[in-house]
Amino acid sequence: MKERGRAVGVWAAGASLALTAGPLIGGGLIEIAGWRSIFLVNLPIGLGALWLTWRYATDTTQTQHRLDLPGQVAAIGMLGVLAGAIIEGGRLGWTNAWVVAGFGAFATLAALFLVQERRAPQPMLPLSLFAHRMFALTSLVGLLVNIAFYGLIFVFSLYFQQINHWSPFATGLAFVPMMGAVLPVNLVAPRLAERIGAPAVIALGAVIAATGCLGLLGLEGGTPYWAICGQLLAMGGGLGLLVPPLTSTLLGSVEKARSGVAAGVLNSTRQTGSVLGVAVFGSLIAQADAFLFGARIALIISAALLIAAASAIMSSEFSLAHRRPARVAQRSR
């Protein structure tokens, strides 16, 4: 358990290096070569990742896996139309025919996806995994945290450029302390989890990030960067604190043979949260004359989601802690 937690911490630290470099490199590329360059740069990175996977990754099971193509298509379509409907809803209005049709398409594709995953012999998302309470809970926490964190990155990217009139590269520099805080905290989180328990560390990280969100509610155009930076550090540090124990707890909630699928589900859930966060918060700041009002609403929503995540994980741990003595008493009889 300790080895897994520390290994996840190292993995998360590596990911945080990319997280730190992303806004800075992206801002520089936009300034030098235009916004299209940030998509082109992903091609060599993706090809390199595919080669490394083919060269070094080994399957942990002997089972032959088949691609769940219908499930993949339904999932992509489902998230695509949902994000589009939310974004356009903020611009066109929630009663617009195209927006309503988008939500209808999402509901239809979501129903088809669930039917497919129940019937498929090897589904991309085994629904039986969610029968494990801690697996379902950590997946939910990952979703909520990413809605808040990545949604706010999108909001503040536009705030620095559209409201404060900073260049893309200066905007990337502004995120370096926030992203940089993730790396050292990633390495500390597993050891802290060994001492006070993973749920407590997850909840602590979420509360720290929520405090950073609430500290930014007085945001105005031209707010000094030093007044923003401390809150961004709290948000980055909170994320860095909760991700390693969150991942380790999820992997420990399922049998080893399904750990790869479980990790994939968590990553997919978190990325879904990122898409929804950008879509929802983007709709809140769609009107330029109400940008700051929408940004404050996004901060309030983020803080609420993070506090809800902390409450959910701690209430589950409290419930499990009360069940354990009862099970021990039953065995002793």
Side-chain angles (χ1 to χ4, degrees):
M1 184 70 177
K2 288 183 180 180
E3 289 77 7
R4 180 178 63 215
R6 292 176 182 179
V8 169
V10 172
W11 163 80
S16 72
L17 284 174
L19 194 65
T20 304
L24 186 61
I25 295 174
L29 285 171
I30 291 173
E31 203 150 316
I32 295 170
W35 63 267
R36 292 174 179 82
S37 61
I38 64 173
F39 296 99
L40 292 175
V41 76
N42 289 325
L43 290 176
I45 294 173
L47 291 173
L50 288 172
W51 181 82
L52 287 171
T53 302
W54 172 79
R55 180 67 178 81
Y56 294 105
T58 57
D59 200 344
T60 57
T61 69
Q62 300 301 316
T63 306
Q64 293 294 320
H65 298 285
R66 289 187 293 175
L67 180 65
D68 179 16
L69 187 58
Q72 295 274 1
V73 172
I76 293 170
M78 175 178 70
L79 292 175
V81 296
L82 177 61
I86 293 172
I87 292 170
E88 293 304 315
R91 187 174 69 90
L92 301 175
W94 301 105
T95 58
N96 179 273
W98 287 106
V99 174
V100 173
F103 284 118
F106 163 73
T108 302
L109 288 168
L112 292 173
F113 175 75
L114 290 175
V115 170
Q116 167 63 19
E117 298 312 282
R118 286 183 181 278
R119 293 181 176 179
Q122 292 184 346
M124 62 167 282
L125 179 62
L127 300 179
S128 60
L129 287 174
F130 292 95
H132 300 272
R133 182 176 181 179
M134 190 55 69
F135 177 90
L137 187 59
T138 49
S139 297
L140 175 63
V141 170
L143 175 74
L144 297 179
V145 167
N146 271 39
I147 289 174
F149 190 77
Y150 289 97
L152 288 179
I153 288 177
F154 177 72
V155 169
F156 276 90
S157 295
L158 295 181
Y159 167 78
F160 288 134
Q161 293 180 75
Q162 295 184 3
I163 304 300
N164 285 0
H165 306 293
W166 292 7
S167 69
F169 185 67
T171 298
L173 281 174
F175 283 112
V176 168
M178 177 188 191
M179 304 306 187
V182 177
L183 173 58
V185 180
N186 276 160
L187 298 174
V188 172
R191 298 183 183 277
L192 186 59
E194 292 170 14
R195 293 188 176 187
I196 66 174
V201 177
I202 295 169
L204 178 62
V207 169
I208 291 173
T211 302
C213 294
L214 295 175
L216 288 167
L217 288 178
L219 190 72
E220 297 286 351
T223 297
Y225 178 68
W226 63 262
I228 299 173
C229 185
Q231 313 306 326
L232 295 181
L233 281 169
M235 292 164 59
L239 179 76
L241 195 61
L242 68 85
V243 167
L246 182 75
T247 306
S248 183
T249 300
L250 178 134
L251 293 178
S253 67
V254 299
E255 55 271 25
K256 185 178 179 180
R258 307 183 81 179
S259 60
V261 175
V265 171
L266 177 61
N267 280 332
S268 298
T269 303
R270 291 184 61 202
Q271 298 312 316
T272 299
S274 304
V275 171
L276 294 179
V278 171
V280 172
F281 293 175
S283 70
L284 291 174
I285 59 173
Q287 304 300 325
D289 57 346
F291 184 98
L292 290 174
F293 177 77
R296 294 188 192 103
I297 297 298
L299 287 164
I300 292 171
I301 292 172
S302 296
L305 292 177
L306 290 164
I307 292 170
S311 300
I313 200 77
M314 287 309 297
S315 63
S316 177
E317 175 65 8
F318 181 79
S319 175
L320 290 173
H322 277 70
R323 287 183 186 179
R324 290 182 193 121
R327 289 175 181 172
V328 171
Q330 289 175 0
R331 290 175 184 172
S332 64
R333 293 175 187 173

